[in-house]
Amino acid sequence: MTNKYEQAFAKYETALNDEQVHKSVVALINENRAKYDNADTLKYLLTTVELTTLTCTDNDAFVMRMTEGVNDFFDEHPELKPIATICVYPRFAAAVKATLQTEGVKVACVSGGFPASQTFLEVKTIETALALKDGADEIDMVLSVGAFQDGDYETCADEISEIKDVCGDAPLKVILETGELKTAEAIMKASILAMYSGADFIKTSTGKVAVAATPEAAYVMCKAIKAYHAETGKWVGFKAAGGIKTPAEAVDFYTIVRETLGQEFIDLGLFRIGTSSLYKKLVDAILA
């Protein structure tokens, strides 16, 4: 007898072939990329950026300088729409909140034992609650990948559900760590599990493992989002994060999202890119 998670998976096409996924992605980008490789797309991509710093050397002074840099840039360029968020560890939420002056930019925090997610659920929920109390508007948590790979879907689902309960109306992004899931089938199942458990966004990677965001992972996750929307009527957002360093790479990801999920998805503001280095390169390309 199948459990409720297997029953949920059975509603979707999960038996994906990795080679075929790769061929589909190459074809999609080759056939469509040129029409999005322009200044308007770069300006839009700037609005998707979650400017991120997640290192052991972060401190209040650095995080505040980064935030002040965002304030200054958008004060100087009111013709440009601002980035989506500044994303930091929970202990810096208050510093960003106190420093941030650019209207429309949110504070995002990684939480729940980031990046490995290997701690107690009680710690994960408390950390999330404290991040929100200190000013986080959005939370990024990590799927318990080991439990998922062991078939312990209930633990994964319960963790996501409980952390979403703590978040309330604050958006919850669930990081799948697709580089560790490895196969298209596993990425599809993890996407479905996260969405059914309450994720408002599904996200590729922490950026802390060898293989981060890939076009193939993005394609599978967008296919999952599209199928979930068809089944439930609910849109779940998509965040590409980890290793996206150039505007050209960002255009590739935009092409996948736009062609798979359509203009409505884009207009709803449901596409994000998490990055530490892309922001300045996008700005330079836009102002060139």
Side-chain angles (χ1 to χ4, degrees):
M1 184 175 180
T2 58
N3 61 36
K4 62 182 179 181
Y5 305 105
E6 294 293 350
Q7 290 171 8
F9 297 151
K11 296 178 182 180
Y12 300 89
E13 183 185 352
T14 60
L16 303 178
N17 178 277
D18 293 319
E19 184 178 352
Q20 186 55 54
V21 166
H22 174 70
K23 290 180 179 178
S24 296
V25 170
V26 171
L28 184 151
I29 292 174
N30 287 344
E31 292 168 12
N32 296 284
R33 187 186 190 283
K35 60 189 176 185
Y36 303 122
D37 191 9
N38 55 55
D40 287 341
T41 298
L42 294 180
K43 289 178 182 178
Y44 165 75
L45 286 169
L46 185 63
T47 72
T48 74
V49 165
E50 298 203 19
L51 180 58
T52 302
T53 184
L54 298 169
T55 74
C56 65
T57 58
D58 289 345
N59 55 50
D60 285 329
F62 173 79
V63 168
M64 291 171 72
R65 284 197 304 273
M66 185 177 79
T67 306
E68 288 166 352
V70 171
N71 293 337
D72 292 344
F73 177 78
F74 287 103
D75 279 347
E76 294 167 8
H77 296 280
E79 76 281 6
L80 296 176
K81 293 181 180 179
I83 61 175
T85 79
I86 294 175
C87 184
V88 293
Y89 279 111
R91 63 162 295 197
F92 301 113
V96 176
K97 198 73 170 181
T99 310
L100 185 60
Q101 296 176 351
T102 305
E103 186 174 354
V105 180
K106 303 297 184 182
V107 181
C109 284
V110 295
S111 185
F114 181 94
S117 193
Q118 298 285 23
T119 190
F120 303 104
L121 179 57
E122 293 85 353
V123 173
K124 295 180 181 184
T125 54
I126 291 169
E127 183 181 26
T128 300
L130 290 171
L132 293 164
K133 178 178 177 293
D134 274 3
D137 301 298
E138 302 179 1
I139 295 293
D140 293 34
M141 66 166 285
V142 185
L143 174 76
S144 288
V145 177
F148 178 85
Q149 292 176 326
D150 197 37
D152 186 2
Y153 303 132
E154 187 161 8
T155 289
C156 298
D158 286 350
E159 287 187 345
I160 294 168
S161 179
E162 290 202 33
I163 293 174
K164 179 56 187 173
D165 283 346
V166 175
C167 288
D169 293 334
L172 174 65
K173 309 185 200 92
V174 177
I175 305 166
L176 305 184
E177 203 67 290
T178 53
E180 297 299 324
L181 294 177
K182 300 185 189 303
T183 69
E185 180 173 358
I187 293 168
M188 175 63 81
K189 287 183 175 180
S191 298
I192 294 164
L193 181 69
M195 291 188 288
Y196 269 97
S197 302
D200 297 295
F201 282 74
I202 51 176
K203 174 179 169 182
T204 54
S205 176
T206 61
K208 303 297 186 183
V209 298
V211 178
T214 66
E216 290 78 10
Y219 177 79
V220 172
M221 292 167 70
C222 287
K223 285 289 189 183
I225 291 168
K226 183 176 182 179
Y228 182 76
H229 177 259
E231 176 71 24
T232 66
K234 179 183 177 182
W235 279 122
V236 171
F238 169 71
K239 180 176 174 181
I244 304 172
K245 293 181 169 60
T246 68
E249 290 171 332
V251 172
D252 285 346
F253 280 90
Y254 175 81
T255 301
I256 292 167
V257 174
R258 174 64 180 80
E259 287 298 313
T260 306
L261 296 172
Q263 188 63 49
E264 178 189 2
F265 186 86
I266 297 296
D267 291 343
L268 288 170
L270 292 174
F271 176 38
R272 302 279 185 82
I273 298 176
T275 180
S276 57
S277 61
L278 176 63
Y279 167 66
K280 185 178 186 305
K281 292 174 184 176
L282 272 175
V283 165
D284 290 344
I286 291 166
L287 298 181

